[in-house]
DNA sequence: GTGGTCTAGACCACT
DNA sequence: GTGGTCTAGACCACG
């Protein structure tokens, strides 16, 4: 499972992790029954406190997406509901809008933004490949 | 001065305000000597608590971007340093990357993303016109 | 860390706290790397609102004197600059002058003032000892 | 009437003015029946907003120390009560203590403080003479 | 436990 | 009208 968090971001770390795990579930990259990395494993990998990871897992359990089995690990149990996915998507669009607003304010031209977008997508692909 | 904040966002309100004011300074939309809306005024306009706006202004004063004059108002004093602008820009790119990563995970195609980007920019243009 | 604030004073509480912390940094009583009492702790100790202490710490962070580490505490990072110390000192002298002016106006003789000064310093010594 | 205010002080301007006027009354430098400078006159002299002076005069009227006669000016009506003088004096001592505490923290020796005190008093005398 | 954000509201000080 | 201080309390995020 490949996650990437930006520590200095305005978006809280726990939120970044939760969103990305949820996205992986939604996209089918991880499926019901799959085992997630252990709390301490993920914490180490992301260089984040274990409690932070733990709380993300707990939250996602509360939402029915994951299940923590004592002594065995944490597993995917469900897919994201359509409603949740739609909400997630709406939020992303809002955030995109915010960023674009500021980027244009800082003088980035539409072309540059589209380029960046392309890079970001390629970077994503590359990263995904690297994780294979 | 046109600001737009998303109240439900993971990004704290105060951060959104601060970033946008900083961006307006950087872009030259507001220039040294210009008077910002008063704390109360902006708070009312954004439907946010006065203290929230006050703390944003104070923080930006601490960074040398604004100056608060007792009984007179809050004024722009400096432009953003190049270093700060670069940092700001880097952060935006990082966040863009994050969003793109999640958006592609949620099944948005590159075409859809470029479309969204276009919309976001048009929205921006419209908003700017509305502020005229 | 020993602080003493006068609640009824014309000098705002937050200013008193900030000045005293800055002085402790300047005098070397607290050194870079040292951990300050937590916001809540100091607030309780001084019988002051947490937000008041928080804002003081934030301000001093903005000046580069302190650093707040999420979940860990607040730490001293720098010494006061010479310029800041000089300014601080000048201000103290000015305020001393103001007080003396009024004291003499109220009929305190020079001798009485020198006595008071002695007492104040002894009180200080005692307090310092009490803090050991 | 000679007043001296420090604009950068932590003590509010209005408080400085009020205290000094009160002190002048207490010391007998200005006596019942004496006319104070007009609001605008004093405001100009101190380079302060007229409203600030006005509110000081009003406050001192409320305390029975002054009386504002429409179209004629502001006059001293009473002396300060003993209780008020005692309170004033206590406060001064407290503030002295605060300043001494910080001054010693900044490395001023007792000798230096006594010297400063001497200077402050001489400065005061000189100033008073200059005002003659 | 730590810091951080936000609200609501009172009261003060300066123009 | 403006900014500035302080309080009380809720809730979030990080270690």
């Amino acid at each position: 499972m490949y996650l990437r968090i930006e520590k200095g971001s305005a978006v809280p770390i726990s939120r970044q992790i939760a969103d990305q795990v949820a996205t992986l579930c939604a996209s089918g990259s991880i499926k019901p029954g799959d085992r997630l990395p252990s709390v301490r494993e993920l914490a180490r990998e992301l260089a984040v406190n274990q409690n932070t990871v733990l709380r993300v897992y707990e939250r996602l359990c509360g939402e029915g997406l994951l299940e923590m089995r004592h002594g065995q690990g944490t597993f995917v149990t469900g897919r994201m509901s359509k409603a949740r996915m739609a909400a997630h998507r709406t939020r992303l669009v809002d955030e995109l809008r915010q960023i674009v607003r500021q980027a244009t304010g800082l003088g980035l031209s539409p072309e540059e933004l589209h380029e960046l977008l392309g890079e970001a997508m390629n970077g994503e692909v590359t990263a995904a490949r690297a994780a294979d």
Side-chain angles (χ1 to χ4, degrees), chain A residues 6-18:
Chain A
E6 316 269 357
K7 279 210 164 171
S9 168
V11 181
I13 294 174
S14 58
R15 176 70 119 101
Q16 294 183 43
I17 302 174

Side-chain angles (χ1 to χ4, degrees), chain A residues 22-23 25-27 63-65 77-89:
Chain A
T23 299
C25 286
S27 69
E63 296 179 11
L65 208 62
T77 54
R79 293 198 156 279
M80 278 170 75
S81 70
K82 281 201 172 173
R84 203 179 183 286
M85 271 190 65
H88 197 150
R89 188 169 154 158

Side-chain angles (χ1 to χ4, degrees), chain A residues 21-56:
Chain A
V21 172
T23 299
L24 290 174
C25 286
S27 69
S29 301
I30 54 179
K31 286 175 288 292
D34 284 2
R35 183 173 174 274
L36 291 170
S38 75
V39 169
R40 68 185 59 188
E41 211 176 328
L42 187 54
R44 187 168 29 76
E45 190 182 324
L46 302 177
V48 155
N49 189 283
Q50 294 185 11
N51 284 326
T52 303
V53 175
L54 179 60
R55 279 186 207 137
V56 170

Side-chain angles (χ1 to χ4, degrees), chain A residues 5 7 15 22 44 64 74 83 86 107 109 111 129:
Chain A
I5 63 168
K7 279 210 164 171
R15 176 70 119 101
R44 187 168 29 76
T74 302
S109 69
E111 289 73 32
R129 276 184 191 147

